[in-house]
Amino acid sequence: MKKLLVTGASGFLGWNICTYARKEYDIFGTVFLHPVKMNGVKTIRIDLTKYNDLKKVFREVEPDGVIHTAAASRPEFCQSHPSESNKINVEASVNLAGFCSDRGIPFAFTSTDLVFDGKHAPYREGDPVNPVNVYGEQKSRAEAQVMDTYAHAAVCRMPMMFGLSSPAYQTFFQQTVSALQRGRELTLFTDEFRTPVSGYTAVKGLILALKKVRGILHLGGRERISRYDFGKLIADISGYTVNHVHACRQKDVKLRVPRAADLTLDSSKAFAMGFDPPTLKEELQSLLHNHHELY
Ligand SMILES: NC(=O)c1ccc[n+]([C@@H]2O[C@H](COP(=O)([O-])OP(=O)(O)OC[C@H]3O[C@@H](n4cnc5c(N)ncnc54)[C@H](OP(=O)(O)O)[C@@H]3O)[C@@H](O)[C@H]2O)c1
């Protein structure tokens, strides 16, 4: 089996990659502050911002490919800690690209739809970036520097994702289900649009990108949906009352960190290559009834 190094194995996406790709790859997953354990995955505890430690991991593991998901992924944190977050979001990503370039192995870097400003959706791979917050700026800089460092890298722009999560992190999906379970009222934006995919579907896209893609690839879903409608869909499919989901508008709320309104990704390039996200209804039904077939 080929050796796949997955950074951020304790995070939402890294954990999904480890869960779904471990039948196809011998997986080495990096963790940092949350040393989670997974059957069939060799975990390595490392601060990826330490260049020499990273070099040592490459020397010891000798990976055949790398998917880099580790990040300071919360926009609020990046906004208040720009220098600290830059180290993991930009510097570590570029160093990883360099080590992959040295070995000539496939490298998939996970970027975000937040490199765009949300005013000119839908977005294709070649559209100009214009991030509205520090997190988006860092990812946008990382994309450019990763490509400069390693032209064979796959830069995957991920949409909002949902699904099973590592014990250490929660997504919008878990927060919504848990709020509904406790009978709490939810107020969600009607004017913030995304093209979500499940973690399971995202993993399929990332493996495809790792094998076949050089350059930028959008891995969004087929459906554009507002957070409000997504919340209602989750409530409906999980059997909770939709009456607890209320509407509000992003543009009426004073935000601490700027958010982009419409980040609809046009992912037709990935679809043409075989990336085939199910409908959101199918994804949620499968998730809530735990019918995933693992690779
Ligand atoms: N989730 C989404 O909806 C979404 C949407 C668009 C793009 N993305 C992108 O997709 C990727 C994965 O996101 P995610 O939601 O899975 O992130 P996440 O759940 O917040 O996980 C972040 C991961 O990064 C690791 N990490 C952070 N700083 C580190 C450091 N200095 N050294 C080593 N590891 C470090 C964390 O390890 P510890 O916890 O062990 O410290 C954790 O495993 C990111 O690149 C993110 O920007 C995510």
Side-chain angles (χ1 to χ4, degrees):
M1 268 208 250
K2 289 197 168 175
K3 287 189 274 187
L4 180 65
L5 180 65
V6 178
T7 70
S10 44
F12 166 75
L13 185 55
W15 189 85
N16 273 272
I17 298 169
C18 294
T19 304
Y20 295 126
R22 64 188 158 190
K23 287 204 179 141
E24 185 177 347
Y25 291 97
D26 185 10
I27 298 192
F28 295 76
T30 76
V31 297
F32 180 34
L33 298 177
H34 299 97
V36 300
K37 298 235 176 295
M38 274 164 281
N39 285 339
V41 174
K42 297 167 197 76
T43 47
I44 302 166
R45 195 160 186 189
I46 177 179
D47 178 353
L48 292 164
T49 66
K50 304 272 188 280
Y51 181 87
N52 286 332
D53 294 356
L54 190 53
K55 192 172 178 183
K56 187 163 166 255
V57 166
F58 266 77
R59 207 174 44 234
E60 288 176 0
V61 173
E62 298 192 318
D64 299 301
V66 176
I67 303 182
H68 175 40
T69 77
S73 69
R74 310 239 165 328
E76 294 74 15
F77 179 83
C78 299
Q79 206 77 11
S80 54
H81 299 76
S83 161
E84 197 181 328
S85 50
N86 192 69
K87 288 195 174 86
I88 180 69
N89 284 349
V90 183
E91 292 170 22
S93 304
V94 177
N95 290 337
L96 275 154
F99 288 124
C100 290
S101 170
D102 292 345
R103 289 181 61 79
I105 56 171
F107 176 56
F109 166 60
T110 53
S111 185
T112 171
D113 48 9
L114 269 155
V115 295
F116 296 116
D117 60 13
K119 294 177 185 156
H120 304 94
Y123 292 100
R124 302 195 69 157
E125 283 81 354
D127 289 338
V129 296
N130 186 28
V132 298
N133 57 34
V134 170
Y135 168 69
E137 278 165 23
Q138 290 175 345
K139 286 290 191 176
S140 160
R141 254 183 298 119
E143 287 187 350
Q145 292 182 29
V146 161
M147 290 307 299
D148 279 352
T149 306
Y150 190 26
H152 289 199
V155 169
C156 303
R157 293 200 182 124
M158 310 310 295
M160 178 172 113
M161 290 176 279
F162 58 94
L164 304 178
S165 189
S166 97
Y169 289 88
Q170 286 204 330
T171 64
F172 172 77
F173 172 72
Q174 272 88 29
Q175 288 158 0
T176 305
V177 172
S178 121
L180 291 165
Q181 266 167 353
R182 283 181 278 132
R184 271 189 39 212
E185 306 292 314
L186 279 170
T187 305
L188 300 172
F189 295 138
T190 51
D191 56 350
E192 190 175 283
F193 295 94
R194 301 292 184 260
T195 39
V197 293
S198 71
Y200 177 70
T201 296
V203 174
K204 287 186 167 181
L206 285 167
I207 301 281
L208 176 87
L210 188 75
K211 290 178 178 169
K212 292 192 183 169
V213 174
R214 291 176 184 185
I216 299 173
L217 188 71
H218 287 179
L219 289 174
R222 293 184 190 276
E223 287 159 85
R224 170 185 186 267
I225 192 165
S226 71
R227 285 207 186 246
Y228 171 70
D229 284 330
F230 194 40
K232 279 204 310 185
L233 190 62
I234 293 172
D236 186 29
I237 291 175
S238 48
Y240 297 107
T241 172
V242 295
N243 298 339
H244 287 197
V245 183
H246 306 287
C248 73
R249 291 190 307 177
Q250 192 209 71
K251 65 177 180 186
D252 296 334
V253 177
K254 196 161 185 300
L255 299 164
R256 271 192 304 131
V257 179
R259 294 167 72 106
D262 187 348
L263 290 176
T264 301
L265 293 178
D266 176 336
S267 302
S268 41
K269 181 175 160 188
F271 299 156
M273 296 179 76
F275 178 57
D276 191 16
T279 64
L280 287 174
K281 195 171 171 190
E282 287 165 341
E283 293 252 56
L284 288 169
Q285 276 170 339
S286 166
L287 194 60
L288 289 159
H289 303 118
N290 221 1
H291 283 164
H292 281 326
E293 282 176 25
L294 305 188
Y295 295 142

